[in-house]
Amino acid sequence: MILLPKNGAVLLRGFRIGTRLVLGFGSILAIVAATNVAETYLRDQSKEKLIAGLKVSEEKTRLAATMKSALLEGGIAMRNIGIQSEVAAMQKEYDNAASYRALFLQSRDKFVSTGLSDTEKTIFSNIAQIDQQMQAPLREAIGQSLAFNEDSAAIVLATRIDPLNRKAIQEINQLVDIQQAAAHDVIVKSVDDDIHLKILLLLVSIVSLGVGALLAWLMARSIIHPLRDAVDVAQNVARGELTSQAHVDGHDEVTELMRALNEMMQCLSVANQKLSDLSHTDGLTGVKNRAYFNEVFNTEWRRGQRAGYMVGLLMLDIDHFKSVNDTYGHLGGDACLKHVAETLNTTIRRAGDHVFRYGGEEFAILLANTEMAGAESIAEIIRKRIEALEIIFDGKKIPVTISVGVAAMIPNDALAADSLIGYADSALYKAKHAGRNKVCVFQEIDE
């Protein structure tokens, strides 16, 4: 029985139980494995982001410190130019200043290459402006130093270059502060991401458990539910109820069991019907027997009582049947009974009318919703057909006649059901004493 929980269980029954278990547990294991892999991957990604962020912040801090150091060392080298008395010494300090200048520019370019935020772009724009403003005073200070005008060079350095250097250092300090804040933000974000990851993994675990539980429930239902149906059917069979049918839907072992149960019930029902027919049928004549007469008579009596219609009964007896047995033997008597029964069956064809072997050579015919005149007419037809029978046994003709007692009444609470039988028997007794081969009607029914 493969849709919503109920239909889902139905769809699963399209697979064998072993395949179903493999698919179910395999799916659960796959969910668990996928959850673990996703957890590991997401945690690794979070760690990589944290490490990458800290590395960038650390690199930017280092480059900012190098820029600051190069700026300070360059300023010192510029001052040293003015205090040197020899050209060679002045040239050396000039080279030092140029070297620090190159280091500053190199560090700045590397910093820019790591990527800049809007704030960092503004700071670098300010540093570039300061650097541009510093170029003319630097050239002037160097010229004064080379001309051995130390005082003039010192004044330029003190009044025009140093203030710009301080501004540049302040801007660089801001860069350092930004990197420290960025490192803190990276750590905080990593912690937040870790918390979010834990929540996500918790939700995924809950969903995985739910999916696993749903799969387990569907598998259990796809096995247990039809088995319960099978048990119910088996219990019905044990109680003798053979009309139940197990629901067959799927291709698994349980479906095969249900199909086998249905086939078994069909066989039992057929066998039971055959037994029932045998138990209700007279083995010699093929008409219904006395036990079935009692059952049908009581049912018809109650039906007539409820509906208020008349029930007719014919009691028939083969005349001189003992002499038939004595003359032709019991086999001849059996042949006589069979021919009489066959004639009764071919004459009584209306639905609701029944022919019974009441006992020995006596038969009964129950006529539903039939008045006395109609019952008498049918009895006379039967009598004539029996009288006209050509029964040949062992090369000899067996003459056969019957006596018939007729009774009919509307069932009511004041009369017992067997009253009708008594009336028909009385009429039969009257027919026999009137010379046999006669139809007599119970006349006292209206009294």
Side-chain angles (χ1 to χ4, degrees):
M1 302 184 150
I2 289 178
L3 301 169
L4 298 168
K6 182 178 180 180
N7 290 334
V10 172
L11 282 170
L12 284 173
R13 291 186 61 189
F15 298 95
R16 307 290 287 183
I17 292 176
T19 304
R20 208 180 307 166
L21 292 174
V22 170
L23 289 174
F25 287 115
S27 300
I28 294 172
L29 290 175
I31 291 171
V32 173
T35 303
N36 290 333
V37 170
E39 178 181 3
T40 302
Y41 174 77
L42 292 174
R43 288 191 184 280
D44 289 344
Q45 289 292 308
S46 180
K47 288 179 182 179
E48 288 178 3
K49 287 181 181 179
L50 173 62
I51 293 171
L54 291 176
K55 280 184 177 181
V56 171
S57 179
E58 181 183 355
E59 178 66 10
K60 285 185 175 183
T61 301
R62 185 187 66 79
L63 292 171
T66 302
M67 289 170 61
K68 181 178 179 181
S69 175
L71 199 60
L72 290 172
E73 294 293 337
I76 294 172
M78 288 298 301
R79 285 183 176 82
N80 288 338
I81 293 175
I83 63 175
Q84 300 298 324
S85 58
E86 296 180 358
V87 175
M90 291 174 64
Q91 185 62 45
K92 181 179 179 181
E93 292 300 332
Y94 179 79
D95 291 340
N96 288 338
S99 176
Y100 287 124
R101 169 71 177 171
L103 179 61
F104 172 82
L105 294 175
Q106 183 183 16
S107 299
R108 183 194 66 181
D109 293 340
K110 286 183 178 180
F111 197 112
V112 172
S113 68
T114 61
L116 300 178
S117 66
D118 291 340
T119 303
E120 290 172 337
K121 288 178 181 179
T122 301
I123 291 173
F124 271 95
S125 177
N126 294 337
I127 291 174
Q129 291 177 5
I130 294 170
D131 186 62
Q132 186 176 5
Q133 294 171 8
M134 199 182 294
Q135 296 307 309
L138 277 174
R139 287 193 296 270
E140 184 179 349
I142 292 171
Q144 294 294 336
S145 297
L146 292 176
F148 296 101
N149 293 326
E150 293 86 355
D151 292 339
S152 297
I155 291 171
V156 173
L157 287 170
T159 60
R160 297 172 63 187
I161 295 176
D162 285 348
L164 292 173
N165 267 339
R166 284 194 295 272
K167 277 187 177 182
I169 289 172
Q170 287 176 357
E171 296 292 337
I172 293 172
N173 285 336
Q174 287 187 48
L175 286 176
V176 174
D177 292 341
I178 289 173
Q179 303 320 308
Q180 291 176 347
H184 178 267
D185 290 343
V186 168
I187 294 173
V188 171
K189 188 175 185 307
S190 177
V191 172
D192 290 341
D193 288 345
D194 190 59
I195 292 173
H196 293 155
L197 177 60
K198 288 180 180 178
I199 294 173
L200 176 62
L201 290 174
L202 177 61
L203 293 175
V204 170
S205 298
I206 292 173
V207 172
S208 299
L209 286 174
V211 172
L214 177 61
L215 286 173
W217 181 77
L218 285 174
M219 285 192 294
R221 180 180 174 83
S222 68
I223 297 172
I224 294 173
H225 189 71
L227 283 178
R228 286 178 179 169
D229 289 344
V231 170
D232 291 341
V233 171
Q235 289 175 343
N236 289 338
V237 172
R239 289 192 295 267
E241 300 174 11
L242 302 179
T243 57
S244 299
Q245 284 289 307
H247 184 63
V248 178
D249 190 0
H251 304 284
D252 59 354
E253 293 86 344
V254 179
T255 302
E256 293 175 358
L257 172 63
M258 304 295 265
R259 189 176 290 109
L261 274 175
N262 286 342
E263 291 174 357
M264 180 189 73
M265 284 186 294
Q266 289 176 358
C267 292
L268 286 174
S269 180
V270 170
N272 191 59
Q273 186 60 47
K274 289 181 178 179
L275 288 174
S276 177
D277 291 342
L278 288 173
S279 66
H280 293 157
T281 304
D282 177 64
L284 176 64
T285 62
V287 299
K288 301 302 180 181
N289 58 22
R290 172 71 176 272
Y292 194 55
F293 168 82
N294 294 333
E295 182 180 332
V296 174
F297 180 80
N298 290 328
T299 300
E300 193 60 39
W301 180 268
R302 289 191 298 270
R303 185 181 291 118
Q305 194 171 18
R306 289 192 303 270
Y309 63 67
M310 193 167 281
V311 177
L313 178 64
L314 309 182
M315 299 297 291
L316 305 88
D317 189 83
I318 299 176
D319 296 329
H320 306 293
F321 187 72
K322 184 178 181 302
S323 64
V324 173
N325 278 331
D326 292 342
T327 304
Y328 302 97
H330 288 288
L331 292 178
D334 291 346
C336 180
L337 289 170
K338 289 177 182 179
H339 279 80
V340 169
E342 183 180 355
T343 301
L344 298 179
N345 262 335
T346 55
T347 304
I348 305 300
R349 292 181 172 275
R350 193 181 62 162
D353 294 344
H354 303 275
V355 178
F356 306 90
R357 185 181 180 188
Y358 198 74
E361 68 274 19
E362 191 172 2
F363 293 84
I365 298 177
L366 187 61
L367 304 172
N369 196 14
T370 302
E371 296 181 352
M372 184 71 79
E376 182 181 8
S377 176
I378 293 171
E380 185 60 33
I381 291 172
I382 291 172
R383 186 195 68 76
K384 290 178 179 179
R385 288 186 178 183
I386 297 297
E387 185 179 21
L389 280 177
E390 292 282 342
I391 302 176
I392 306 299
F393 179 78
D394 203 15
K396 300 176 183 179
K397 179 181 177 181
I398 303 176
V400 180
T401 60
I402 59 171
S403 298
V404 185
V406 181
M409 61 172 16
I410 298 175
N412 58 73
D413 295 335
L415 293 172
D418 57 3
S419 298
L420 181 60
I421 299 173
Y423 295 155
D425 266 337
S426 296
L428 175 60
Y429 181 80
K430 180 180 177 182
K432 283 187 171 294
H433 281 270
R436 293 182 173 83
N437 193 21
K438 293 185 181 296
V439 174
C440 288
V441 177
F442 183 73
Q443 298 293 338
E444 292 143 27
I445 185 102
D446 294 328
E447 296 180 2

